[in-house]
mmCIF file of all heavy atoms in Angstrom:
data_model
loop_
_atom_site.group_PDB
_atom_site.id
_atom_site.type_symbol
_atom_site.label_atom_id
_atom_site.label_comp_id
_atom_site.label_asym_id
_atom_site.label_seq_id
_atom_site.Cartn_x
_atom_site.Cartn_y
_atom_site.Cartn_z
ATOM 1 N N PRO P 1 -20.119 -45.367 42.285
ATOM 2 C CA PRO P 1 -19.185 -45.409 43.415
ATOM 3 C C PRO P 1 -18.822 -43.986 43.846
ATOM 4 O O PRO P 1 -18.617 -43.114 42.995
ATOM 5 C CB PRO P 1 -17.969 -46.146 42.839
ATOM 6 C CG PRO P 1 -18.028 -45.879 41.365
ATOM 7 C CD PRO P 1 -19.479 -45.702 41.004
ATOM 8 N N VAL P 2 -18.761 -43.757 45.148
ATOM 9 C CA VAL P 2 -18.534 -42.400 45.657
ATOM 10 C C VAL P 2 -17.406 -42.416 46.680
ATOM 11 O O VAL P 2 -17.453 -43.182 47.650
ATOM 12 C CB VAL P 2 -19.814 -41.831 46.315
ATOM 13 C CG1 VAL P 2 -19.543 -40.439 46.885
ATOM 14 C CG2 VAL P 2 -20.965 -41.796 45.317
ATOM 15 N N TYR P 3 -16.416 -41.557 46.451
ATOM 16 C CA TYR P 3 -15.343 -41.383 47.442
ATOM 17 C C TYR P 3 -14.892 -39.926 47.443
ATOM 18 O O TYR P 3 -14.343 -39.436 46.448
ATOM 19 C CB TYR P 3 -14.153 -42.307 47.150
ATOM 20 C CG TYR P 3 -13.015 -42.105 48.124
ATOM 21 C CD1 TYR P 3 -13.126 -42.537 49.443
ATOM 22 C CD2 TYR P 3 -11.853 -41.436 47.745
ATOM 23 C CE1 TYR P 3 -12.099 -42.333 50.361
ATOM 24 C CE2 TYR P 3 -10.820 -41.229 48.644
ATOM 25 C CZ TYR P 3 -10.951 -41.676 49.960
ATOM 26 O OH TYR P 3 -9.946 -41.461 50.858
ATOM 27 N N ASN P 4 -15.157 -39.233 48.541
ATOM 28 C CA ASN P 4 -14.737 -37.835 48.719
ATOM 29 C C ASN P 4 -15.062 -36.981 47.486
ATOM 30 O O ASN P 4 -14.190 -36.336 46.907
ATOM 31 C CB ASN P 4 -13.240 -37.764 49.036
ATOM 32 C CG ASN P 4 -12.930 -38.254 50.439
ATOM 33 O OD1 ASN P 4 -13.836 -38.507 51.242
ATOM 34 N ND2 ASN P 4 -11.658 -38.394 50.757
ATOM 35 N N SER P 5 -16.334 -36.991 47.119
ATOM 36 C CA SER P 5 -16.767 -36.325 45.886
ATOM 37 C C SER P 5 -17.635 -35.089 46.134
ATOM 38 O O SER P 5 -18.387 -34.678 45.265
ATOM 39 C CB SER P 5 -17.552 -37.324 45.019
ATOM 40 O OG SER P 5 -16.797 -38.474 44.760
ATOM 41 N N GLU P 6 -17.552 -34.494 47.320
ATOM 42 C CA GLU P 6 -18.485 -33.435 47.690
ATOM 43 C C GLU P 6 -18.490 -32.252 46.720
ATOM 44 O O GLU P 6 -19.519 -31.601 46.549
ATOM 45 C CB GLU P 6 -18.192 -32.933 49.104
ATOM 46 C CG GLU P 6 -16.818 -32.304 49.274
ATOM 47 C CD GLU P 6 -16.538 -31.829 50.695
ATOM 48 O OE1 GLU P 6 -17.378 -32.107 51.587
ATOM 49 O OE2 GLU P 6 -15.500 -31.188 50.923
ATOM 50 N N LYS P 7 -17.379 -31.985 46.056
ATOM 51 C CA LYS P 7 -17.307 -30.828 45.162
ATOM 52 C C LYS P 7 -18.260 -30.941 43.984
ATOM 53 O O LYS P 7 -18.824 -29.942 43.519
ATOM 54 C CB LYS P 7 -15.878 -30.637 44.639
ATOM 55 C CG LYS P 7 -14.866 -30.219 45.682
ATOM 56 C CD LYS P 7 -13.491 -30.064 45.045
ATOM 57 C CE LYS P 7 -12.438 -29.718 46.074
ATOM 58 N NZ LYS P 7 -11.073 -29.611 45.450
ATOM 59 N N PHE P 8 -18.438 -32.160 43.482
ATOM 60 C CA PHE P 8 -19.222 -32.340 42.253
ATOM 61 C C PHE P 8 -20.411 -33.278 42.434
ATOM 62 O O PHE P 8 -21.181 -33.477 41.502
ATOM 63 C CB PHE P 8 -18.313 -32.886 41.140
ATOM 64 C CG PHE P 8 -17.145 -32.003 40.831
ATOM 65 C CD1 PHE P 8 -15.894 -32.259 41.376
ATOM 66 C CD2 PHE P 8 -17.296 -30.895 40.007
ATOM 67 C CE1 PHE P 8 -14.816 -31.431 41.096
ATOM 68 C CE2 PHE P 8 -16.227 -30.069 39.725
ATOM 69 C CZ PHE P 8 -14.985 -30.331 40.268
ATOM 70 N N LEU P 9 -20.564 -33.842 43.616
ATOM 71 C CA LEU P 9 -21.556 -34.890 43.818
ATOM 72 C C LEU P 9 -22.989 -34.402 43.617
ATOM 73 O O LEU P 9 -23.811 -35.113 43.028
ATOM 74 C CB LEU P 9 -21.394 -35.495 45.219
ATOM 75 C CG LEU P 9 -22.249 -36.718 45.540
ATOM 76 C CD1 LEU P 9 -22.016 -37.825 44.519
ATOM 77 C CD2 LEU P 9 -21.938 -37.228 46.954
ATOM 78 N N GLU P 10 -23.304 -33.214 44.105
ATOM 79 C CA GLU P 10 -24.676 -32.715 43.960
ATOM 80 C C GLU P 10 -25.065 -32.582 42.492
ATOM 81 O O GLU P 10 -26.190 -32.927 42.109
ATOM 82 C CB GLU P 10 -24.839 -31.380 44.690
ATOM 83 C CG GLU P 10 -24.838 -31.530 46.205
ATOM 84 C CD GLU P 10 -25.546 -30.378 46.898
ATOM 85 O OE1 GLU P 10 -26.518 -29.846 46.334
ATOM 86 O OE2 GLU P 10 -25.124 -30.022 48.005
ATOM 87 N N LYS P 11 -24.152 -32.081 41.676
ATOM 88 C CA LYS P 11 -24.435 -31.955 40.238
ATOM 89 C C LYS P 11 -24.681 -33.324 39.617
ATOM 90 O O LYS P 11 -25.610 -33.508 38.821
ATOM 91 C CB LYS P 11 -23.274 -31.254 39.530
ATOM 92 C CG LYS P 11 -23.488 -31.029 38.032
ATOM 93 C CD LYS P 11 -22.290 -30.321 37.423
ATOM 94 C CE LYS P 11 -22.475 -30.101 35.933
ATOM 95 N NZ LYS P 11 -23.528 -29.129 35.615
ATOM 96 N N SER P 12 -23.856 -34.294 40.006
ATOM 97 C CA SER P 12 -24.004 -35.648 39.466
ATOM 98 C C SER P 12 -25.336 -36.271 39.882
ATOM 99 O O SER P 12 -26.072 -36.814 39.045
ATOM 100 C CB SER P 12 -22.855 -36.531 39.954
ATOM 101 O OG SER P 12 -21.609 -36.036 39.500
ATOM 102 N N LEU P 13 -25.651 -36.183 41.170
ATOM 103 C CA LEU P 13 -26.891 -36.787 41.670
ATOM 104 C C LEU P 13 -28.120 -36.073 41.131
ATOM 105 O O LEU P 13 -29.151 -36.709 40.875
ATOM 106 C CB LEU P 13 -26.888 -36.785 43.195
ATOM 107 C CG LEU P 13 -25.760 -37.568 43.874
ATOM 108 C CD1 LEU P 13 -25.909 -37.511 45.387
ATOM 109 C CD2 LEU P 13 -25.698 -39.008 43.388
ATOM 110 N N LYS P 14 -28.025 -34.769 40.967
ATOM 111 C CA LYS P 14 -29.145 -34.012 40.399
ATOM 112 C C LYS P 14 -29.455 -34.491 38.987
ATOM 113 O O LYS P 14 -30.619 -34.602 38.587
ATOM 114 C CB LYS P 14 -28.836 -32.519 40.396
ATOM 115 C CG LYS P 14 -29.995 -31.618 39.957
ATOM 116 C CD LYS P 14 -29.628 -30.152 40.164
ATOM 117 C CE LYS P 14 -30.818 -29.250 39.820
ATOM 118 N NZ LYS P 14 -31.099 -29.223 38.373
ATOM 119 N N SER P 15 -28.393 -34.813 38.229
ATOM 120 C CA SER P 15 -28.611 -35.300 36.863
ATOM 121 C C SER P 15 -29.324 -36.653 36.885
ATOM 122 O O SER P 15 -30.074 -36.981 35.956
ATOM 123 C CB SER P 15 -27.282 -35.403 36.102
ATOM 124 O OG SER P 15 -26.542 -36.553 36.458
ATOM 125 N N LEU P 16 -29.107 -37.432 37.939
ATOM 126 C CA LEU P 16 -29.822 -38.698 38.076
ATOM 127 C C LEU P 16 -31.280 -38.457 38.465
ATOM 128 O O LEU P 16 -32.196 -39.070 37.898
ATOM 129 C CB LEU P 16 -29.144 -39.582 39.122
ATOM 130 C CG LEU P 16 -27.731 -40.092 38.796
ATOM 131 C CD1 LEU P 16 -27.187 -40.924 39.948
ATOM 132 C CD2 LEU P 16 -27.725 -40.898 37.509
ATOM 133 N N SER P 17 -31.484 -37.569 39.417
ATOM 134 C CA SER P 17 -32.856 -37.309 39.874
ATOM 135 C C SER P 17 -33.729 -36.731 38.774
ATOM 136 O O SER P 17 -34.953 -36.852 38.824
ATOM 137 C CB SER P 17 -32.836 -36.365 41.075
ATOM 138 O OG SER P 17 -32.393 -35.069 40.706
ATOM 139 N N GLU P 18 -33.109 -36.143 37.756
ATOM 140 C CA GLU P 18 -33.856 -35.541 36.650
ATOM 141 C C GLU P 18 -34.119 -36.534 35.516
ATOM 142 O O GLU P 18 -34.723 -36.160 34.501
ATOM 143 C CB GLU P 18 -33.088 -34.334 36.102
ATOM 144 C CG GLU P 18 -33.049 -33.160 37.080
ATOM 145 C CD GLU P 18 -32.201 -31.995 36.581
ATOM 146 O OE1 GLU P 18 -31.404 -32.217 35.619
ATOM 147 O OE2 GLU P 18 -32.317 -30.886 37.119
ATOM 148 N N GLN P 19 -33.688 -37.784 35.664
ATOM 149 C CA GLN P 19 -33.955 -38.775 34.620
ATOM 150 C C GLN P 19 -35.454 -38.952 34.445
ATOM 151 O O GLN P 19 -36.219 -38.874 35.404
ATOM 152 C CB GLN P 19 -33.281 -40.099 34.949
ATOM 153 C CG GLN P 19 -31.760 -40.042 34.922
ATOM 154 C CD GLN P 19 -31.217 -39.557 33.582
ATOM 155 O OE1 GLN P 19 -31.450 -40.163 32.546
ATOM 156 N NE2 GLN P 19 -30.493 -38.439 33.624
ATOM 157 N N THR P 20 -35.855 -39.193 33.228
ATOM 158 C CA THR P 20 -37.270 -39.102 32.860
ATOM 159 C C THR P 20 -38.026 -40.417 32.964
ATOM 160 O O THR P 20 -39.129 -40.529 32.430
ATOM 161 C CB THR P 20 -37.388 -38.554 31.428
ATOM 162 O OG1 THR P 20 -36.589 -39.352 30.540
ATOM 163 C CG2 THR P 20 -36.907 -37.117 31.357
ATOM 164 N N ILE P 21 -37.472 -41.417 33.645
ATOM 165 C CA ILE P 21 -38.212 -42.661 33.846
ATOM 166 C C ILE P 21 -38.261 -42.975 35.341
ATOM 167 O O ILE P 21 -37.335 -42.639 36.092
ATOM 168 C CB ILE P 21 -37.602 -43.848 33.068
ATOM 169 C CG1 ILE P 21 -36.131 -44.075 33.454
ATOM 170 C CG2 ILE P 21 -37.714 -43.637 31.583
ATOM 171 C CD1 ILE P 21 -35.530 -45.289 32.793
ATOM 172 N N ASP P 22 -39.337 -43.608 35.772
ATOM 173 C CA ASP P 22 -39.516 -43.962 37.180
ATOM 174 C C ASP P 22 -39.016 -45.364 37.499
ATOM 175 O O ASP P 22 -38.648 -45.649 38.636
ATOM 176 C CB ASP P 22 -40.989 -43.845 37.572
ATOM 177 C CG ASP P 22 -41.472 -42.400 37.562
ATOM 178 O OD1 ASP P 22 -40.675 -41.526 37.948
ATOM 179 O OD2 ASP P 22 -42.624 -42.157 37.164
ATOM 180 N N SER P 23 -39.025 -46.251 36.508
ATOM 181 C CA SER P 23 -38.649 -47.648 36.742
ATOM 182 C C SER P 23 -37.128 -47.793 36.747
ATOM 183 O O SER P 23 -36.538 -48.509 35.939
ATOM 184 C CB SER P 23 -39.268 -48.551 35.673
ATOM 185 O OG SER P 23 -38.872 -48.112 34.378
ATOM 186 N N ILE P 24 -36.497 -47.093 37.686
ATOM 187 C CA ILE P 24 -35.048 -47.017 37.728
ATOM 188 C C ILE P 24 -34.613 -46.881 39.180
ATOM 189 O O ILE P 24 -35.362 -46.370 40.024
ATOM 190 C CB ILE P 24 -34.563 -45.800 36.889
ATOM 191 C CG1 ILE P 24 -33.050 -45.816 36.678
ATOM 192 C CG2 ILE P 24 -34.994 -44.480 37.524
ATOM 193 C CD1 ILE P 24 -32.574 -44.793 35.658
ATOM 194 N N GLU P 25 -33.428 -47.388 39.489
ATOM 195 C CA GLU P 25 -32.850 -47.200 40.813
ATOM 196 C C GLU P 25 -31.414 -46.711 40.662
ATOM 197 O O GLU P 25 -30.714 -47.063 39.707
ATOM 198 C CB GLU P 25 -32.885 -48.505 41.618
ATOM 199 C CG GLU P 25 -32.076 -49.641 41.017
ATOM 200 C CD GLU P 25 -32.135 -50.928 41.840
ATOM 201 O OE1 GLU P 25 -32.884 -50.950 42.839
ATOM 202 O OE2 GLU P 25 -31.433 -51.902 41.475
ATOM 203 N N PHE P 26 -31.001 -45.883 41.606
ATOM 204 C CA PHE P 26 -29.648 -45.342 41.608
ATOM 205 C C PHE P 26 -28.952 -45.895 42.855
ATOM 206 O O PHE P 26 -29.279 -45.514 43.975
ATOM 207 C CB PHE P 26 -29.664 -43.816 41.638
ATOM 208 C CG PHE P 26 -30.572 -43.202 40.606
ATOM 209 C CD1 PHE P 26 -31.666 -42.437 40.993
ATOM 210 C CD2 PHE P 26 -30.362 -43.403 39.255
ATOM 211 C CE1 PHE P 26 -32.509 -41.864 40.057
ATOM 212 C CE2 PHE P 26 -31.201 -42.846 38.300
ATOM 213 C CZ PHE P 26 -32.284 -42.075 38.701
ATOM 214 N N ILE P 27 -28.007 -46.803 42.643
ATOM 215 C CA ILE P 27 -27.304 -47.421 43.765
ATOM 216 C C ILE P 27 -25.972 -46.699 43.951
ATOM 217 O O ILE P 27 -25.045 -46.849 43.150
ATOM 218 C CB ILE P 27 -27.081 -48.917 43.528
ATOM 219 C CG1 ILE P 27 -28.403 -49.612 43.199
ATOM 220 C CG2 ILE P 27 -26.432 -49.548 44.757
ATOM 221 C CD1 ILE P 27 -28.257 -51.085 42.863
ATOM 222 N N CYS P 28 -25.897 -45.892 44.999
ATOM 223 C CA CYS P 28 -24.710 -45.083 45.272
ATOM 224 C C CYS P 28 -23.956 -45.705 46.441
ATOM 225 O O CYS P 28 -24.526 -45.905 47.523
ATOM 226 C CB CYS P 28 -25.104 -43.653 45.605
ATOM 227 S SG CYS P 28 -26.091 -42.841 44.326
ATOM 228 N N VAL P 29 -22.696 -46.022 46.228
ATOM 229 C CA VAL P 29 -21.889 -46.691 47.244
ATOM 230 C C VAL P 29 -20.874 -45.713 47.809
ATOM 231 O O VAL P 29 -19.929 -45.315 47.125
ATOM 232 C CB VAL P 29 -21.175 -47.920 46.655
ATOM 233 C CG1 VAL P 29 -20.427 -48.663 47.765
ATOM 234 C CG2 VAL P 29 -22.173 -48.849 45.970
ATOM 235 N N ASN P 30 -21.100 -45.296 49.066
ATOM 236 C CA ASN P 30 -20.136 -44.444 49.738
ATOM 237 C C ASN P 30 -18.974 -45.305 50.226
ATOM 238 O O ASN P 30 -19.118 -46.117 51.139
ATOM 239 C CB ASN P 30 -20.785 -43.711 50.913
ATOM 240 C CG ASN P 30 -19.785 -42.807 51.611
ATOM 241 O OD1 ASN P 30 -19.171 -41.955 50.987
ATOM 242 N ND2 ASN P 30 -19.595 -43.015 52.914
ATOM 243 N N ASP P 31 -17.824 -45.129 49.602
ATOM 244 C CA ASP P 31 -16.672 -46.003 49.860
ATOM 245 C C ASP P 31 -15.736 -45.365 50.891
ATOM 246 O O ASP P 31 -14.589 -45.051 50.609
ATOM 247 C CB ASP P 31 -15.941 -46.278 48.544
ATOM 248 C CG ASP P 31 -14.858 -47.334 48.692
ATOM 249 O OD1 ASP P 31 -15.121 -48.351 49.353
ATOM 250 O OD2 ASP P 31 -13.760 -47.128 48.141
ATOM 251 N N GLY P 32 -16.268 -45.150 52.089
ATOM 252 C CA GLY P 32 -15.446 -44.627 53.179
ATOM 253 C C GLY P 32 -15.046 -43.180 53.019
ATOM 254 O O GLY P 32 -13.947 -42.782 53.441
ATOM 255 N N SER P 33 -15.913 -42.358 52.443
ATOM 256 C CA SER P 33 -15.596 -40.933 52.274
ATOM 257 C C SER P 33 -15.360 -40.265 53.622
ATOM 258 O O SER P 33 -16.030 -40.575 54.616
ATOM 259 C CB SER P 33 -16.736 -40.220 51.542
ATOM 260 O OG SER P 33 -16.911 -40.722 50.235
ATOM 261 N N THR P 34 -14.420 -39.322 53.643
ATOM 262 C CA THR P 34 -14.135 -38.564 54.867
ATOM 263 C C THR P 34 -14.639 -37.135 54.772
ATOM 264 O O THR P 34 -14.444 -36.350 55.701
ATOM 265 C CB THR P 34 -12.625 -38.559 55.153
ATOM 266 O OG1 THR P 34 -11.924 -38.017 54.020
ATOM 267 C CG2 THR P 34 -12.114 -39.967 55.424
ATOM 268 N N ASP P 35 -15.288 -36.784 53.667
ATOM 269 C CA ASP P 35 -15.882 -35.456 53.516
ATOM 270 C C ASP P 35 -17.393 -35.584 53.710
ATOM 271 O O ASP P 35 -17.873 -36.497 54.378
ATOM 272 C CB ASP P 35 -15.507 -34.842 52.162
ATOM 273 C CG ASP P 35 -16.042 -35.643 50.980
ATOM 274 O OD1 ASP P 35 -16.759 -36.650 51.196
ATOM 275 O OD2 ASP P 35 -15.749 -35.265 49.825
ATOM 276 N N SER P 36 -18.164 -34.681 53.150
ATOM 277 C CA SER P 36 -19.614 -34.663 53.366
ATOM 278 C C SER P 36 -20.386 -35.477 52.326
ATOM 279 O O SER P 36 -21.599 -35.327 52.205
ATOM 280 C CB SER P 36 -20.119 -33.213 53.366
ATOM 281 O OG SER P 36 -19.901 -32.608 52.096
ATOM 282 N N SER P 37 -19.702 -36.337 51.581
ATOM 283 C CA SER P 37 -20.366 -37.091 50.513
ATOM 284 C C SER P 37 -21.549 -37.910 51.032
ATOM 285 O O SER P 37 -22.620 -37.938 50.417
ATOM 286 C CB SER P 37 -19.366 -38.026 49.824
ATOM 287 O OG SER P 37 -18.401 -37.302 49.093
ATOM 288 N N LEU P 38 -21.376 -38.588 52.161
ATOM 289 C CA LEU P 38 -22.456 -39.422 52.689
ATOM 290 C C LEU P 38 -23.680 -38.586 53.050
ATOM 291 O O LEU P 38 -24.815 -39.009 52.799
ATOM 292 C CB LEU P 38 -21.975 -40.210 53.904
ATOM 293 C CG LEU P 38 -23.000 -41.167 54.531
ATOM 294 C CD1 LEU P 38 -23.509 -42.181 53.511
ATOM 295 C CD2 LEU P 38 -22.404 -41.877 55.746
ATOM 296 N N ASP P 39 -23.468 -37.413 53.621
ATOM 297 C CA ASP P 39 -24.590 -36.527 53.959
ATOM 298 C C ASP P 39 -25.349 -36.121 52.703
ATOM 299 O O ASP P 39 -26.589 -36.082 52.692
ATOM 300 C CB ASP P 39 -24.090 -35.272 54.684
ATOM 301 C CG ASP P 39 -23.520 -35.586 56.060
ATOM 302 O OD1 ASP P 39 -23.946 -36.600 56.646
ATOM 303 O OD2 ASP P 39 -22.657 -34.819 56.528
ATOM 304 N N ILE P 40 -24.623 -35.826 51.639
ATOM 305 C CA ILE P 40 -25.251 -35.434 50.377
ATOM 306 C C ILE P 40 -26.058 -36.602 49.820
ATOM 307 O O ILE P 40 -27.194 -36.438 49.357
ATOM 308 C CB ILE P 40 -24.186 -34.963 49.369
ATOM 309 C CG1 ILE P 40 -23.482 -33.703 49.883
ATOM 310 C CG2 ILE P 40 -24.817 -34.698 47.997
ATOM 311 C CD1 ILE P 40 -22.268 -33.293 49.067
ATOM 312 N N LEU P 41 -25.485 -37.804 49.876
ATOM 313 C CA LEU P 41 -26.184 -39.000 49.398
ATOM 314 C C LEU P 41 -27.476 -39.227 50.179
ATOM 315 O O LEU P 41 -28.541 -39.484 49.596
ATOM 316 C CB LEU P 41 -25.279 -40.225 49.521
ATOM 317 C CG LEU P 41 -24.082 -40.297 48.573
ATOM 318 C CD1 LEU P 41 -23.162 -41.449 48.990
ATOM 319 C CD2 LEU P 41 -24.527 -40.470 47.134
ATOM 320 N N ASN P 42 -27.391 -39.148 51.492
ATOM 321 C CA ASN P 42 -28.576 -39.381 52.326
ATOM 322 C C ASN P 42 -29.651 -38.331 52.082
ATOM 323 O O ASN P 42 -30.855 -38.646 52.112
ATOM 324 C CB ASN P 42 -28.179 -39.397 53.797
ATOM 325 C CG ASN P 42 -27.422 -40.658 54.176
ATOM 326 O OD1 ASN P 42 -27.606 -41.710 53.562
ATOM 327 N ND2 ASN P 42 -26.566 -40.572 55.183
ATOM 328 N N ASP P 43 -29.241 -37.112 51.815
ATOM 329 C CA ASP P 43 -30.207 -36.052 51.532
ATOM 330 C C ASP P 43 -30.992 -36.355 50.256
ATOM 331 O O ASP P 43 -32.217 -36.196 50.217
ATOM 332 C CB ASP P 43 -29.476 -34.707 51.405
ATOM 333 C CG ASP P 43 -30.425 -33.551 51.137
ATOM 334 O OD1 ASP P 43 -31.347 -33.340 51.944
ATOM 335 O OD2 ASP P 43 -30.247 -32.867 50.107
ATOM 336 N N PHE P 44 -30.303 -36.812 49.223
ATOM 337 C CA PHE P 44 -30.988 -37.167 47.977
ATOM 338 C C PHE P 44 -31.905 -38.371 48.187
ATOM 339 O O PHE P 44 -32.998 -38.427 47.636
ATOM 340 C CB PHE P 44 -29.968 -37.441 46.866
ATOM 341 C CG PHE P 44 -29.589 -36.222 46.076
ATOM 342 C CD1 PHE P 44 -28.605 -35.363 46.534
ATOM 343 C CD2 PHE P 44 -30.226 -35.917 44.878
ATOM 344 C CE1 PHE P 44 -28.255 -34.233 45.810
ATOM 345 C CE2 PHE P 44 -29.888 -34.789 44.143
ATOM 346 C CZ PHE P 44 -28.900 -33.936 44.616
ATOM 347 N N ALA P 45 -31.437 -39.341 48.977
ATOM 348 C CA ALA P 45 -32.238 -40.537 49.227
ATOM 349 C C ALA P 45 -33.531 -40.204 49.964
ATOM 350 O O ALA P 45 -34.568 -40.845 49.737
ATOM 351 C CB ALA P 45 -31.423 -41.554 50.019
ATOM 352 N N GLU P 46 -33.486 -39.219 50.844
ATOM 353 C CA GLU P 46 -34.684 -38.801 51.569
ATOM 354 C C GLU P 46 -35.706 -38.153 50.641
ATOM 355 O O GLU P 46 -36.915 -38.269 50.852
ATOM 356 C CB GLU P 46 -34.309 -37.824 52.683
ATOM 357 C CG GLU P 46 -33.580 -38.468 53.851
ATOM 358 C CD GLU P 46 -33.193 -37.452 54.909
ATOM 359 O OE1 GLU P 46 -33.596 -36.273 54.770
ATOM 360 O OE2 GLU P 46 -32.475 -37.825 55.862
ATOM 361 N N ARG P 47 -35.220 -37.483 49.608
ATOM 362 C CA ARG P 47 -36.105 -36.750 48.708
ATOM 363 C C ARG P 47 -36.557 -37.559 47.503
ATOM 364 O O ARG P 47 -37.544 -37.217 46.850
ATOM 365 C CB ARG P 47 -35.415 -35.462 48.229
ATOM 366 C CG ARG P 47 -35.247 -34.424 49.329
ATOM 367 C CD ARG P 47 -34.642 -33.139 48.810
ATOM 368 N NE ARG P 47 -33.193 -33.215 48.682
ATOM 369 C CZ ARG P 47 -32.523 -32.885 47.595
ATOM 370 N NH1 ARG P 47 -33.159 -32.500 46.501
ATOM 371 N NH2 ARG P 47 -31.213 -32.959 47.565
#
């Protein structure tokens, strides 16, 4: 779950992207953030 987490979100998502298995999904729920959290989430999803 994500709400106005821009300060630490990249570090958190990076730790997910570095997980060593492929058979996994990361479901991130932007709960009405008013900061740049959604942009950060979409950037990771694109990559």
Side-chain angles (χ1 to χ4, degrees):
V2 178
Y3 178 72
N4 288 352
S5 304
E6 63 181 7
K7 292 180 183 178
F8 301 98
L9 187 56
E10 288 204 33
K11 182 180 179 68
S12 298
L13 299 182
K14 186 173 184 290
S15 78
L16 294 179
S17 68
E18 291 176 344
Q19 293 303 300
T20 54
I21 57 176
D22 292 323
S23 57
I24 191 169
E25 62 180 5
F26 311 117
I27 306 176
C28 303
V29 184
N30 181 55
D31 188 44
S33 297
T34 57
D35 63 3
S36 63
S37 292
L38 182 57
D39 293 333
I40 296 171
L41 290 170
N42 287 332
D43 181 57
F44 270 84
E46 289 178 6
R47 291 183 279 129

